[in-house]
Amino acid sequence: MAKENVSKNHVLKKVIGYGLLTAALYAAVFLNSTTVLKLCAKGGVYAVFPIALAFVFSFAHGAFANYLWQFLGIEALKQPKVEAEKTAEVAKRPEVRRRARVQA
Amino acid sequence: MQDLFNSANFIDLDTWSVLFLVIVGFVGGLVSGFIGSGGAFVLTPGMMSLGVPGPVAVASNMCHKFPKALVGAYKRWKYGQVDIKLGIAMAIFASGGVQVGIKIQHMVLEKWGKAGSNLYVSAAFIVILLTVGGYVLWDAYKSVRGNNVVKVEKRTSLAQKLQSINLPPMIYFKTANVRISLWIVLPVGFATGMLAATIAVGGFIGVPGMIYIIGASSLVASATELVVAFIMGLGGSINWAMHGLVDIRLTLLILLGSLLGVQLGAIGTTYVKEYMIKVVMGTIMYISGRQ
């Protein structure tokens, strides 16, 4: 029980940490939207700018979303779902060798 | 600021637009996380309904697609559902398909004008979504009716026959547990790219192609499609961004909802039986095609 609480607190810390980071990133972009849009509209080598932003946001917000669902108890089932279609393995029959018998 | 909006076709955003983009992003993400594709055909028209010009809507949507696919693919890779090698092979061939698809679009536009181009896109949309979507739905119905206790899907007889063709180079896809000729993967990837260039949702051919032709399970096919979407989305985004058409505000607002949705969709795949992916995909395709 105590271990579970520690784990839940750890997840909550991550939710808050990544949540703040995400909020700060969004605030930075939307408070400076004129500059940001000007850079994006330039094109050419400035293409790096929107692409890099998308990567940074996917890392921060992606991590936040992951820990948020975890904190809310929405998690994947533990059992592995992918059970690749296994070709039916035919159980090997024990090799039966007839012994030579001497008929009297 | 106004000059910038006028020159580059970037719209002003109000509270309603912001909320709309976040909600539509969440729904698109949820669908993508579950069936591996399908967000674009909700998001692009959604943005255009706000007054965003077509090219900016497509560019901004594509720029949101690759980070969303990256997060979704990573999540589903952790569940052991992604075949990276198959995804990369599909993406390489799909890139060729995109180029040919764009050329065909240009040819149609030159020969028959805008009306002809619209007719071509609409016809492709209706024919492909209704036929492929109808087949996926019918197959899912058979699974539901026939044997709903079996967790593992059976490979189609077509996939089994194609796998038996020993035409080098043969490749083994570990997670999909498929050994197949690269010459069979090529047309599936190519068609995915062509459809992506025509109706912007390549996954509606890619996922059924991986299931019925290559022989991957629905779970692996839908998860692998996210790898394809990431690679193709990144390439497309760089192209659009070089033309300065990405409205990063729209991209980030959609991402706000879609990164929550895509992870929820991915989690959902671990709770359902495999044929549920076909049910959802077939239903979405069929309804979109009919509309």
Side-chain angles (χ1 to χ4, degrees):
Chain A
M1 188 71 181
K3 201 177 174 184
E4 203 174 278
N5 279 339
V6 171
S7 167
K8 194 104 181 169
N9 282 340
H10 178 70
V11 174
L12 180 61
K13 276 180 194 167
K14 294 214 167 187
V15 173
I16 294 169
Y18 281 110
L20 287 173
L21 178 65
T22 306
L25 286 169
Y26 271 93
V29 168
F30 281 87
L31 291 174
N32 302 293
S33 57
T34 315
T35 318
V36 171
L37 280 179
K38 267 183 190 166
L39 282 171
C40 290
K42 278 186 177 176
V45 286
Y46 288 90
V48 171
F49 195 67
I51 304 293
L53 271 180
F55 269 118
V56 171
F57 275 74
S58 71
F59 167 73
H61 183 38
F64 164 71
N66 172 49
Y67 289 116
L68 180 69
W69 292 130
Q70 204 176 321
F71 180 71
L72 295 173
I74 301 169
E75 287 185 80
L77 278 183
K78 295 287 179 210
Q79 67 193 51
K81 279 293 291 180
V82 172
E83 294 167 58
E85 191 180 338
K86 286 167 189 155
T87 44
E89 274 185 290
V90 182
K92 274 191 179 176
R93 279 187 288 177
E95 204 173 330
V96 182
R97 286 188 184 173
R98 294 205 166 197
R99 284 182 191 170
R101 284 183 189 169
V102 180
Q103 302 252 339
Chain B
M1 184 85 176
Q2 202 58 45
D3 289 345
L4 181 68
F5 288 149
N6 290 338
S7 65
N9 294 319
F10 294 150
I11 61 158
D12 248 331
L13 289 170
D14 55 18
T15 316
W16 159 245
S17 314
V18 170
L19 269 176
F20 176 79
L21 289 169
V22 175
I23 293 166
V24 175
F26 179 78
V27 175
L30 199 62
V31 174
S32 295
F34 197 78
I35 64 170
S37 68
F41 81 102
V42 183
L43 289 160
T44 310
M47 277 190 272
M48 286 167 79
S49 72
L50 293 175
V52 179
V56 178
V58 173
S60 309
N61 180 31
M62 194 160 275
C63 196
H64 119 276
K65 180 180 166 174
F66 81 84
K68 176 189 71 180
L70 174 68
V71 170
Y74 175 67
K75 194 95 180 165
R76 293 188 67 173
W77 173 75
K78 283 205 293 187
Y79 306 151
Q81 300 171 348
V82 174
D83 197 311
I84 296 176
K85 195 159 69 164
L86 178 58
I88 292 172
M90 285 279 293
I92 291 169
F93 298 135
S95 305
V98 168
Q99 299 308 320
V100 174
I102 291 170
K103 280 210 170 119
I104 291 173
Q105 287 266 40
H106 281 302
M107 271 167 55
V108 171
L109 191 66
E110 272 177 23
K111 208 164 188 181
W112 291 294
K114 206 174 175 183
S117 175
N118 285 344
L119 184 69
Y120 167 69
V121 173
S122 304
F125 204 88
I126 292 165
V127 170
I128 290 164
L129 292 197
L130 283 184
T131 50
V132 181
Y135 182 76
V136 173
L137 207 53
W138 177 69
D139 185 45
Y141 171 72
K142 274 196 308 181
S143 306
V144 175
R145 197 190 54 178
N147 200 354
N148 61 2
V149 286
V150 174
K151 274 185 182 175
V152 181
E153 289 171 316
K154 277 186 181 173
R155 275 185 194 143
T156 58
S157 54
L158 174 66
Q160 282 174 350
K161 272 180 199 159
L162 292 172
Q163 283 170 27
S164 66
I165 299 170
N166 198 4
L167 186 65
M170 297 292 286
I171 293 195
Y172 177 64
F173 299 111
K174 196 178 171 188
T175 310
N177 193 25
V178 167
R179 188 175 178 273
I180 198 163
S181 169
L182 204 62
W183 295 105
I184 309 289
V185 181
L186 192 153
V188 179
F190 194 84
T192 306
M194 270 193 73
L195 193 70
T198 312
I199 65 166
V201 198
F204 282 164
I205 279 282
V207 178
M210 279 190 267
I211 297 170
Y212 299 113
I213 296 173
I214 294 174
S217 68
S218 324
L219 213 52
V220 172
S222 58
T224 303
E225 181 58 34
L226 288 165
V227 177
V228 182
F230 168 69
I231 297 171
M232 288 174 67
L234 181 59
S237 298
I238 292 170
N239 197 5
W240 283 112
M242 285 177 79
H243 288 93
L245 286 166
V246 175
D247 186 338
I248 196 71
R249 300 165 311 154
L250 302 180
T251 301
L252 296 180
L253 286 171
I254 301 167
L255 268 181
L256 191 61
S258 77
L259 290 188
L260 286 162
V262 76
Q263 300 202 33
L264 199 59
I267 292 169
T269 59
T270 64
Y271 283 86
V272 296
K273 289 193 172 119
E274 292 206 19
Y275 62 75
M276 274 312 291
I277 290 168
K278 287 182 192 165
V279 172
V280 175
M281 177 169 237
T283 308
I284 290 175
M285 286 174 77
Y286 198 73
I287 290 172
S288 323
R290 280 186 73 93
Q291 279 179 345

